[in-house]
Amino acid sequence: MSAFDKPRLARIDDWMRRYVEMGRFPGSTFLLAKGGKVAHRASVGFRDVAGKKPFGEETVARIYSMTKPVVSVGILMLMERGLFHLDAPVSAFLPEFAEPRALRPGAKSVEEAEPCAPPTLHHLLTHTSGLTYGFNPGPLSEAYAKAEINFGPNAPVPLAEMTKRLAALPLAFAPGARWEYSHATDVLGRVIEAVGGKPLDEWLESEIFEPLGMVDTGFAVPDRKLDRLATLYTALPEGAGLALTRVQDGAMRVVETAEGSAWRAPRCLSGGGGLVSTIDDYFLFAEMIRKGGAHDGARLLSPATVAFMRRNHLPGDIASMGPKSFAETAMTGVGFGLGGSVVLDPALSHAPGSVGDFSWGGIASTVFWTDPVLDLTAIFLTQLTPSSAYPARPELKALVHAAIA
């Protein structure tokens, strides 16, 4: 007997088509596997609407924050080699973090800060470091904008210099006090450079992408692959920036074309959001996690380390740690491991799932998860910002669980 009800799997295709017909997504591609065997694929719409170029399995997409689990795996690989422990302060590798200051509780300006201990690697891996994003509420938003804190491919300076700019500003809170989505994984990318002795792109290529056979994943899109790079769209009105709630339903506008993409020659290697990939490439990475650290003969981590990665490293769920930020996950009933979210109670998260689902997504509405109970891997790629525009992720999880025979 099949593990899935095929007519119900077809509902996923219908749902994807509706999103395209409603003008919510330009196009998308989806992959679902059980026990490593692909059970369902679907692709709809266009990677470039004006050019009528189909969005398919070969489409190269900006995966943004789905870069974070990749870089987190890199940190754990270095940990396994005995090069540091996770309670090591980041200042041991990046001296610019040696004397940090954190905003006092209730601070109204960046001047209201006091000395604090440097964040540890564990704080960075779990988004409890005190770092934040410029689009999160609070006094640091303006300070980040003034300092031009931008780790994207069009950043004004390279990774090392941008990390120093970030370290010169106060933390949003003392490390460990709260959970807040942040530039923490960008800093971890710089740690990989400092400890690994190579630029981040070279280290990830030799240690993760090449061993796993991820041939279309990287920080830059070469000219020979440019035609496969999707156009990036947004549901935000002109001039809205990343105002995460002001979407115009069904009204897409172009943010970046392939030809004009900053990913052709990125100035900064963002460990928090700089990678592009394809659905089949990311499947290789997700399968490595599902299988406990190895895939097709390439072992990146031990099964014990992957199990450690996929546990909740917070005292409770994310919501219990008082976040005021946007995040690529529900917060109630969901904890956080090392580089990704962990479902603690599907009922409290208000989305069908299994306890232990390990997941993360990207700002262009991409997402992946691995389910240890049902032995599933699921990946969804599209190119529409922000990911908070539509409830695509819980809808997709419901469709997948509805198709289980």
Side-chain angles (χ1 to χ4, degrees):
M1 181 181 292
S2 171
F4 295 97
D5 182 312
K6 289 187 177 180
R8 285 173 170 249
L9 282 175
R11 294 177 181 176
I12 297 172
D13 305 40
D14 295 338
W15 171 81
M16 291 169 65
R17 277 191 292 270
R18 283 200 306 273
Y19 260 71
V20 171
E21 290 166 358
M22 294 170 69
R24 289 184 163 188
F25 290 162
S28 61
T29 186
F30 172 71
L31 184 155
L32 175 65
K34 181 174 177 63
K37 295 182 179 180
V38 176
H40 191 68
R41 285 182 180 269
S43 296
V44 302
F46 302 103
R47 67 176 183 270
D48 180 72
V49 176
K52 302 298 181 185
K53 298 176 181 178
F55 202 118
E57 299 162 13
E58 77 291 344
T59 297
V60 175
R62 303 158 191 80
I63 61 171
Y64 285 108
S65 287
M66 282 167 62
T67 305
K68 289 179 170 70
V70 177
V71 168
S72 299
V73 163
I75 288 289
L76 295 177
M77 291 170 69
L78 293 172
M79 178 200 74
E80 283 196 334
R81 297 171 192 179
L83 296 174
F84 49 66
H85 59 94
L86 296 188
D87 281 334
V90 68
S91 55
F93 318 102
L94 306 178
E96 56 264 37
F97 285 96
E99 298 181 356
R101 296 170 63 80
L103 297 182
R104 299 187 188 98
K108 302 298 183 184
S109 74
V110 293
E111 284 74 32
E112 299 176 55
E114 57 192 9
C116 65
T120 65
L121 298 180
H122 190 268
H123 288 138
L124 293 167
L125 283 163
T126 56
H127 290 294
T128 58
S129 66
L131 293 170
T132 186
Y133 272 123
F135 54 74
N136 286 333
L140 282 170
S141 178
E142 185 177 341
Y144 273 36
K146 186 175 180 180
E148 294 185 87
I149 300 300
N150 171 18
F151 285 84
N154 59 346
V157 294
L159 176 59
E161 181 59 34
M162 188 57 68
T163 303
K164 290 177 182 177
R165 287 190 184 188
L166 183 67
L169 295 172
L171 299 172
F173 50 86
R178 294 211 317 262
W179 190 98
E180 187 154 303
Y181 200 35
S182 72
H183 283 296
T185 321
D186 290 310
V187 176
L188 289 174
R190 178 64 188 134
V191 171
I192 288 177
E193 291 190 333
V195 177
K198 294 181 182 179
L200 183 58
D201 55 350
E202 294 180 18
W203 196 93
L204 293 180
E205 177 64 32
S206 63
E207 301 291 338
I208 296 180
F209 304 151
E210 187 175 335
L212 290 178
M214 298 171 68
V215 297
D216 286 322
T217 302
F219 289 99
V221 181
D223 287 346
R224 70 182 186 278
K225 297 180 182 180
L226 194 62
D227 186 59
R228 291 197 281 137
L229 177 63
T231 296
L232 179 65
Y233 299 85
T234 184
L236 295 172
E238 190 76 38
L242 200 61
L244 296 168
T245 58
R246 293 177 55 201
V247 300
Q248 293 180 318
D249 191 4
M252 294 186 299
R253 63 180 179 87
V254 172
V255 174
E256 183 186 78
T257 64
E259 292 75 14
S261 176
W263 271 265
R264 297 183 71 174
R267 288 197 291 267
C268 184
L269 305 178
S270 168
L275 290 177
V276 298
S277 191
T278 62
I279 198 162
D280 287 330
D281 258 25
Y282 209 86
F283 179 55
L284 298 172
F285 175 77
E287 278 292 283
M288 178 276 297
I289 293 177
R290 183 191 66 83
K291 293 164 68 176
H295 184 61
D296 282 353
R299 178 161 293 283
L300 272 58
L301 295 170
S302 76
T305 298
V306 174
F308 175 66
M309 177 185 185
R310 296 178 62 166
R311 292 182 66 88
N312 180 32
H313 284 247
L314 305 181
D317 63 5
I318 297 173
S320 71
M321 293 198 70
K324 300 177 181 178
S325 61
F326 163 81
E328 299 286 353
T329 183
M331 297 184 184
T332 302
V334 177
F336 202 81
L338 301 179
S341 62
V342 182
V343 172
L344 305 178
D345 187 333
L348 293 179
S349 74
H350 297 179
S354 297
V355 173
D357 280 1
F358 184 83
S359 175
W360 207 242
I363 197 68
S365 303
T366 61
V367 72
F368 92 102
W369 76 89
T370 61
D371 183 324
V373 176
L374 299 172
D375 204 21
L376 303 180
T377 300
I379 307 166
F380 178 79
L381 300 183
T382 185
Q383 292 287 265
L384 188 284
T385 65
S387 54
S388 58
Y390 308 112
R393 292 171 184 169
E395 289 174 358
L396 183 57
K397 288 200 82 173
L399 285 161
V400 168
H401 277 257
I404 296 169

